[in-house]
Amino acid sequence: MTLLAVERIKLLSTRSPWWCALAALLITAGFSTLVVSNAGGGFPATVSATQFAYTFGMAVIMVLATLAVTTEYRFGTMRTTFQAIPNRAAALLAKATVVALVALVIGEVMAFLSWGLGNLLRPEDDLALNSTADWLNVAGVGPVCALGAVIAVATGILIRHSAGAISLVLIYFLAVESLVQAIPTVGADIYEWMPFNVAHKVITGDGESAGASGEMLTPLSTSTLSPWWALAYFAGFAAVLLAVAITTARKRDA
Amino acid sequence: MIEAHSLTKRYGGKVAVDDLSFSVKSGRVTGFLGPNGAGKSTTMRMMLGLDNPTGGSVTIGGKRYTELHHPLRTVGALLEASWVHPNRSARAHLAWMAKSNKISPKRVDEVLDIVGLSEVASKRAGGFSLGMSQRLGIAAALLGDPEVLLFDEPVNGLDPEGILWIRKFMQRLADEGRTVFVSSHLLSEMALTATDLVVIGKGKLVSQSTTEEFVARATDSTVKIRSPHLDRLRPALDRVGATVTAADDGLIVSGASSDKIGELAMENQVTLHELAPQQGSLEQAFMQITGDSVEYHADLETEDAAEQPAGHASTTN
C-alpha cells in the first residue's frame, strides 16, 4: 500500500496526467457529440455509436502512461525511486498499478460521459444499457484502457525515452496492427490474435450493441474469442509484457 | 562503516572501476578524490545499488544497499541535484520519498527548514537555482536522518557562499557522529573538508590515508640542483635515501632538504651551480600523483610535466 501511495503522489503531483486526462475526455466527448448528433440517415444512434471515439481517448491515456515512466528516466527520478525502494520489481509494479487505476477511472469517465451526452442529444433513441453487450461496450472501455496503460508503462520501462516510447506505442496501436492484415495469406490469421484487435472485441462484441441493424461505425474485431476471453487474453498480453520489462529493469543499471 | 571489496565495473570493454578496495570509517568526513572520469560516480552508484558491479561488492554497515530495510533511513545520498521532476514542488518531491520509507511527513518540513528552503517549498523545483537544487538534494539526503551520507561533487558549480555553506554543513554532519563520504576532483577543496582521503585514478585505488598524510606527501618538496660534478654527488644522495631524477641539465631530488644536499655537497667537495627548493602547488602535486591515471590528457598537462619531474609520481605512490 505504501508503494501505491508513493506512486500516487508522484503521478498526481505533476501536471501532465491532468492535461492528458482532460485531453482524453475532450476528444472522446467531442467526437461522440459529433457522431451522435449526425446519426440518423446513414447510421442509427446506438450505444456503440456513442463509444465510436474510445480509441482516440485510449491513445491519449497510453501517452499519459508512457510519460509516467519515461519522464522519470528523463529527469533521473527513477534512480531516486530505486534508491528509496531497492526492490525494483515492487516499485515498478506499484507504478503500473497506479497508472492502470488512473487509466481505468479516466476510461470509465470518458465512456459514461460520451454515453450520457448521447442520451442528452438523442433522448428519443434507445441508448439504454439493456444487455451485457451494451454494458461491455460502455463499461468495458475502462478496463481496456487500464490494460492498454500497462502495455504503455511496460514499453516506457523498456525504451526509457519519451519520444521513442510514445511513437512506438502510438504507431503500433494506431497503424501496425491493421497493416498486418496486408500480409498475404497469413495476415488475417495473425491479425486475429493481435492484442489490440482482441481488445476491440471486448468493446464491440459481435456487434450486438449496435442495435437491430448491427451496423457499426468502426469495423468489428476479427477475433473469434468471446468478449470475456478477449479481455483475459489482452490482460495476459499486458502482464507478460510488464514481466519482461520489469525483468529487464532489474538486471539493468539504473 | 563502508567497505568496498575488489569492486569492478566494466562497460563493454571499458573498465570504469578496477578492483577497487577501500574502507570508510564512521563518524568522519572521508573525501573521495580523483580526476574527472576516474570512476567516482560509478563507484557511488554501485554503493547505492543503482549500478550492478561486474565483480566484487560494496557494503554499508556490513549489508549490501539492496538488503537494507527502508534504506533512506540508513543512507542519505546526493548524487545529482538535477534528479528532481522540474514540475514537482520541492515539498511533493520530499513527500513521496518520505512516504516510500515510512518517514513522518513532519520530517519533510524539518529538513526543508534545515536547508533553508521552507519559503519556496511549494514552488516547482524546475525554477530553482543550482544552489537551491543542491540544497533540495541535501534535504532529500537528510530525510531519513541517516547515519551515512554520500555526496557526489556537492560543490560543483556553486558560488563561494554556497561552497562555504556545504563545507560547514558536512563538518556539522560529521560532528553529529555521521559518516560522510564526499567525492571531489579538487584536492584543495577536500583538504578543507575531509579528515580521510580515498584517492582513485582510472578506477584504481591510488592511496588511502588521512588528509594530512596525503597533503604532506603530495606537496613533498623537491630540490633542483645543477653541478659539474653530478657523478660524485649522485651516489652520496643515494646513500641518504633521496630519490634522484635526471632533469634537462641537472638533477631533481626528493626526500632530502636543500640544507641536507648543501651539506652533502660540501662533504664531497662538489661545486653547486644551482640549489633550488621547489614547492609544488597542491593541484600540481595531485595531478602528478594521479597524472598517469587521467583518462583524456589535454595539452596543458605537458607544460606542467615540464615544470615538475615526470618521474616524481613513481616516488610518491
Side-chain angles (χ1 to χ4, degrees), chain B residues 165-210:
Chain B
W165 184 82
I166 296 226
R167 206 183 280 161
K168 284 187 174 164
F169 199 82
M170 285 192 296
Q171 274 154 358
R172 204 179 99 193
L173 291 169
D175 289 343
E176 289 169 7
R178 296 177 214 266
T179 306
V180 182
F181 189 62
V182 50
S183 80
S184 178
H185 61 279
L186 300 172
L187 176 57
S188 51
E189 179 56 37
M190 285 295 95
L192 290 167
T193 4
T195 28
D196 290 337
L197 279 184
V198 173
V199 185
I200 66 166
K202 263 193 183 167
K204 285 196 177 76
L205 185 71
V206 173
S207 90
Q208 169 159 26
S209 63
T210 65

Side-chain angles (χ1 to χ4, degrees), chain A residues 1-3 5-16 67 71-72 74-88 249-254, chain B residues 9 11 45 48-53 65-68 70-72 75-79 82-89 92-93 95-97 99-102 124:
Chain A
M1 282 315 286
T2 310
L3 296 188
V6 168
E7 292 301 331
R8 191 202 67 222
I9 299 173
K10 276 205 273 185
L11 188 64
L12 301 184
S13 59
T14 58
R15 280 174 292 186
S16 70
L67 281 175
T71 53
E72 287 232 38
R74 160 88 173 72
F75 297 122
T77 47
M78 199 54 109
R79 294 196 181 93
T80 320
T81 304
F82 291 156
Q83 189 191 324
I85 311 158
N87 184 348
R88 296 183 189 181
R250 287 183 66 180
K251 285 190 198 144
R252 202 161 51 184
D253 289 338
Chain B
K9 181 69 187 178
Y11 293 108
R45 281 203 302 273
L48 294 173
L50 294 175
D51 284 12
N52 306 311
Y65 186 88
T66 46
E67 294 164 1
L68 295 172
H70 292 323
L72 297 185
V75 185
L78 167 59
L79 291 202
S82 60
W83 288 354
V84 175
H85 194 298
N87 287 333
R88 199 174 278 145
S89 71
H93 176 69
W96 76 254
M97 287 184 77
K99 188 84 190 170
S100 69
N101 278 240
K102 296 212 169 86
R124 41 187 292 276

